[in-house]
Amino acid sequence: MPNSRLLLPAFALTLNALIWGTSWWPFRQLHGQGLHPLWTTVFVYLLAVAVIAVARPRAFGQVVRAPALWVLVFASGLTNAAFNWGVVIGDVVRVVLLFYLMPLWTVLLARWLLNEPLTRAAALRVTLALAGAAIVLWPEGRPLGWDALPVPRALPDWLGLVGGFSFALNNVMLRRESARAGEARAMAMFLGGVLVAGTLATVLAANTQLPWPVALAPPWIVAAVALAALFLLSNFALQFGAARLPANVTAVVMLSEVVFASVSAVLVGGERLTLPLLIGGGLIVAAAVLAAQTKDS
């Protein structure tokens, strides 16, 4: 395939990574206006569902009639709820790196759902990912001991890990259901954002763990519409690029999200990149690159 024919799909995937890597900023701005990221996810994805329903009226029925797509609904919904919430209340780079522990979860889920073998290459990826996670999670300045165990200690860490696991499940299910129409898969993913985030937000709000949505106001309505448009564009770009590039190339290009998130968090969010974060992040990214270059990944 001539290189010129690869440029547009590669650009589409990079655009997808750019949108997701910088999405933390508008979510934080809306959170500052009193709209919790879970409610933002509900409103943004509800708009996206409405657009797909109008443009592809049969998409919703295709999801309802396919039980396997409801696993995708759950996985995608949990991914978006956890990621959007985590990057708003936590350290963006840290949450994104924990989110990208996908090689670890993908190995386990692919074994369970796709009956893929556990190879030495897969074991190496798991080892690298676990080592990277341990370094990222290691408490700074703590001596060796039980208090220094590299385990999640705050809600953003848990959200990053849960989001990464559900994203791995999302990707495995997309591979398993690749023969289904693109609009049905897109509907399932956006519908999941509405249902899962909406359920979590309602339960937590009913128990006074987070506020109910603020009153309708032009600034956040405009922002929600803009975000919905960007996420629809992102989904289209992902499906366009992934359908035209080898899977290993797609996976490597999508890792640019880590770069976009890190650079934007430092330049705009005032965050700093510590040495443990760089070393642990490097190991996690290395595991993802190995997964992309391995046929059994």
Side-chain angles (χ1 to χ4, degrees):
M1 184 183 295
N3 288 337
S4 60
R5 295 183 60 187
L6 296 175
L7 289 178
L8 187 56
F11 173 78
L13 290 176
T14 305
L15 177 63
N16 171 75
L18 173 63
I19 291 172
W20 275 104
T22 57
S23 64
W24 63 269
W25 187 82
F27 273 93
R28 280 193 180 180
Q29 299 308 303
L30 288 169
H31 190 231
Q33 296 183 30
L35 193 63
H36 191 277
L38 286 178
W39 291 120
T40 302
T41 301
V42 172
F43 294 130
V44 168
Y45 282 61
L46 187 60
L47 289 170
V49 166
V51 170
I52 296 173
V54 171
R56 295 289 188 271
R58 293 184 295 179
F60 184 78
Q62 291 171 342
V63 173
V64 171
R65 291 190 296 271
L69 287 181
W70 282 95
V71 179
L72 184 58
V73 168
F74 171 77
S76 177
L78 188 57
T79 297
N80 288 285
F83 181 84
N84 295 339
W85 190 2
V87 294
V88 167
I89 66 172
D91 183 283
V92 173
V93 180
R94 185 182 176 97
V95 171
V96 169
L97 287 174
L98 293 174
F99 182 82
Y100 267 91
L101 282 173
M102 289 182 297
L104 166 63
W105 310 126
T106 300
V107 166
L108 302 177
L109 289 169
R111 172 63 178 169
W112 176 38
L113 296 173
L114 303 177
N115 294 317
E116 292 186 358
L118 292 175
T119 64
R120 275 184 277 185
L124 175 61
R125 299 198 300 271
V126 169
T127 302
L128 284 173
L130 285 174
I135 294 173
V136 169
L137 291 171
W138 197 280
E140 289 189 62
R142 294 274 185 91
L144 292 176
W146 288 108
D147 289 340
L149 286 177
V151 295
R153 298 176 184 277
L155 180 58
D157 291 346
W158 283 109
L159 291 171
L161 289 171
V162 170
F165 176 83
S166 54
F167 191 40
L169 176 59
N170 179 89
N171 292 342
V172 169
M173 290 304 299
L174 280 175
R175 195 188 328 175
R176 183 177 175 181
E177 303 300 317
S178 59
R180 297 191 185 276
E183 63 264 22
R185 287 176 288 157
M187 173 63 83
M189 288 188 284
F190 282 112
L191 187 62
V194 176
L195 296 179
V196 176
T199 300
L200 279 173
T202 300
V203 170
L204 291 173
N207 287 277
T208 66
Q209 299 298 308
L210 60 85
W212 291 99
V214 295
L216 291 176
W220 74 256
I221 293 175
V222 171
V225 171
L227 272 175
L230 284 173
F231 283 145
L232 280 168
L233 175 62
S234 172
N235 186 275
F236 171 77
L238 175 61
Q239 296 208 38
F240 176 85
R244 290 163 176 79
L245 290 176
N248 58 341
V249 176
T250 295
V252 171
V253 173
M254 287 180 64
L255 281 173
S256 60
E257 179 184 338
V258 177
V259 177
F260 291 129
S262 302
V263 172
S264 63
V266 170
L267 295 180
V268 181
E271 297 185 3
R272 63 187 185 92
L273 298 177
T274 62
L275 183 59
L277 207 57
L278 289 171
I279 295 174
L283 291 174
I284 292 171
V285 170
V289 171
L290 284 177
Q293 295 177 342
T294 306
K295 290 182 179 179
D296 64 350
S297 64

